[in-house]
Amino acid sequence: MKNLNLKRILLIAGNIFLIGFIVAVIAGVGLVFYYVQSAPKLTEKSLTATTSSKIYDKDGNLIADLGSEKRSNAETSEIPTDLVNAIVSIEDQRFFNHRGLDVVRIAGAFINNLTSGNLQGGSTLDQQFIKLTYFSTSTQDQTLKRKIQEAWLATQLERRNTKQEILTYYVNKVYMSNGNYGMKTAANAYYGKELKDLSLAQQALLAGMPQAPNQYDPYIQPEAAKQRRDLVLGQMLEEKYISQEAYDMAVATPITDGLQSLKQGAAYPAYMDNYLKEVIEEVEAKTGYNLLTTGMEVYTNVDAAPYR
């Protein structure tokens, strides 16, 4: 009798667990569907354009329109193979083998995060581009909804565009410091050259900058810029994109090699440059949004009247 009762209890418990599991799966699928339905839409304008951000003084007067940027978009045919290899080496080594999501990379990052103290992300180049285009980089915004939408849009981007087109979007979208958007713009501003005419060392620098453009600015952070450039070159060597001889020659190249004097080309007066850089950094630290790639209106307490 006792055994019979125990069997009934176990059977009931098993049924309850099964029903609960099914309900949880259905709820999870429904939540994912809801998040996907409310995700931003992929449009050519959003994938290629940078929205204007405006900064005002204490009296509400416009002191900077960051949408009046320096930009020169590259065609796919203008992007050299070495630059492509540099980008995928440092950002997404399996870029040409996945369809927006890299299960292998995600699993590797998960295992690494469990076994070491160093947090590692599993985002693909597609996901990074989607985040740059539509979302905030703030850790507070790393929600389940955001992650699901980011993953969904990355897979849709792969269905919509070729790998070459996605790379071209990325090359033209990224902020490259000093008011320059896109790697072609940076090549012209920093070296007075087209992308195809850059040296391997110069291309590696540009490929490594988007992760933290101001931190890897070769004009004001030459040591950090060189470390980042050499890391890119090291990854290219490891992936067998370049020879040992090419690597040795590139890492021996001074980070200042070929750099031109920067010209003041921003839409705001030169005297405001340092202040505006501080505003941009503070906004990103507090919100996760980059004023140079996200349209926002920021009101400051600066008194610009004496300088007008």
Side-chain angles (χ1 to χ4, degrees):
M1 192 62 147
K2 288 183 178 179
N3 289 337
L4 183 60
N5 288 336
L6 180 60
K7 288 181 178 179
R8 283 182 179 176
I9 292 172
L10 291 174
L11 180 61
I12 293 171
N15 287 336
I16 292 174
F17 175 80
L18 181 59
I19 292 171
F21 177 75
I22 293 173
V23 169
V25 169
I26 293 173
V29 171
L31 186 63
V32 170
F33 181 77
Y34 172 73
Y35 287 160
V36 165
Q37 288 296 105
S38 60
K41 303 301 180 185
L42 294 180
T43 66
E44 190 66 18
K45 181 178 179 180
S46 62
L47 295 175
T48 58
T50 299
T51 309
S52 172
S53 283
K54 294 178 172 60
I55 301 180
Y56 300 87
D57 67 10
K58 70 179 186 66
D59 298 317
N61 299 308
L62 181 67
I63 55 176
D65 182 349
L66 302 181
S68 304
E69 78 270 11
K70 297 172 283 184
R71 178 194 293 278
S72 180
N73 285 339
E75 299 293 332
T76 300
S77 59
E78 295 180 81
I79 304 173
T81 302
D82 276 341
L83 181 58
V84 171
N85 292 339
I87 293 170
V88 299
S89 291
I90 196 64
E91 297 293 349
D92 186 357
Q93 294 173 2
R94 292 171 51 81
F95 175 71
F96 291 105
N97 298 319
H98 63 66
R99 301 300 297 171
L101 297 178
D102 188 350
V103 177
V104 173
R105 187 174 183 180
I106 292 172
F110 178 73
I111 294 172
N112 175 79
N113 294 343
L114 285 179
T115 57
S116 72
N118 299 319
L119 292 180
Q120 187 181 78
S123 295
T124 61
L125 187 69
D126 305 77
Q127 290 173 281
Q128 293 175 42
F129 174 69
I130 290 296
K131 182 189 299 182
L132 176 67
T133 303
Y134 293 101
F135 300 115
S136 157
T137 58
S138 172
T139 53
Q140 295 177 345
D141 290 336
Q142 305 295 314
T143 61
L144 178 62
K145 176 182 179 180
R146 222 291 310 282
K147 284 295 184 183
I148 289 173
Q149 291 182 339
E150 180 185 294
W152 167 255
L153 290 174
T155 59
Q156 294 308 297
L157 182 65
E158 287 276 347
R159 294 180 63 182
R160 180 185 186 277
N161 297 98
T162 65
K163 292 288 187 181
Q164 289 74 20
E165 288 169 340
I166 294 169
L167 272 169
T168 303
Y169 283 144
Y170 177 83
V171 164
N172 289 332
K173 186 85 168 186
V174 290
Y175 180 60
M176 300 296 291
S177 193
N178 299 298
N180 296 291
Y181 294 77
M183 295 185 185
K184 178 177 180 178
T185 315
N188 286 319
Y190 296 166
Y191 301 108
K193 297 180 180 179
E194 295 300 316
L195 289 172
K196 64 181 178 62
D197 298 320
L198 296 177
S199 68
L200 175 61
Q202 292 166 347
Q203 290 181 37
L205 172 64
L206 296 189
M209 285 185 67
Q211 184 191 70
N214 294 329
Q215 181 179 335
Y216 300 129
D217 181 343
Y219 291 93
I220 61 175
Q221 302 282 1
E223 292 184 8
K226 185 179 188 307
Q227 289 177 359
R228 181 65 174 172
R229 182 202 69 182
D230 292 352
L231 176 62
V232 174
L233 291 166
Q235 293 296 110
M236 293 181 74
L237 177 64
E238 186 174 319
E239 293 297 308
K240 297 181 170 54
Y241 286 127
I242 58 175
S243 66
Q244 183 68 51
E245 181 182 3
Y247 168 82
D248 292 340
M249 184 178 299
V251 296
T253 303
I255 198 67
T256 55
D257 181 60
L259 281 179
Q260 301 185 124
S261 297
L262 276 179
K263 298 177 182 178
Q264 178 63 34
Y268 46 82
Y271 66 81
M272 292 295 297
D273 188 61
N274 288 333
Y275 177 75
L276 292 174
K277 284 183 178 179
E278 290 181 7
V279 171
I280 292 166
E281 291 173 0
E282 183 176 347
V283 168
E284 184 163 11
K286 291 183 175 179
T287 69
Y289 288 98
N290 187 333
L291 287 177
L292 298 161
T293 55
T294 307
M296 299 178 71
E297 291 191 342
V298 179
Y299 293 85
T300 71
N301 60 5
V302 69
D303 184 2
Y307 304 100
R308 293 196 192 105

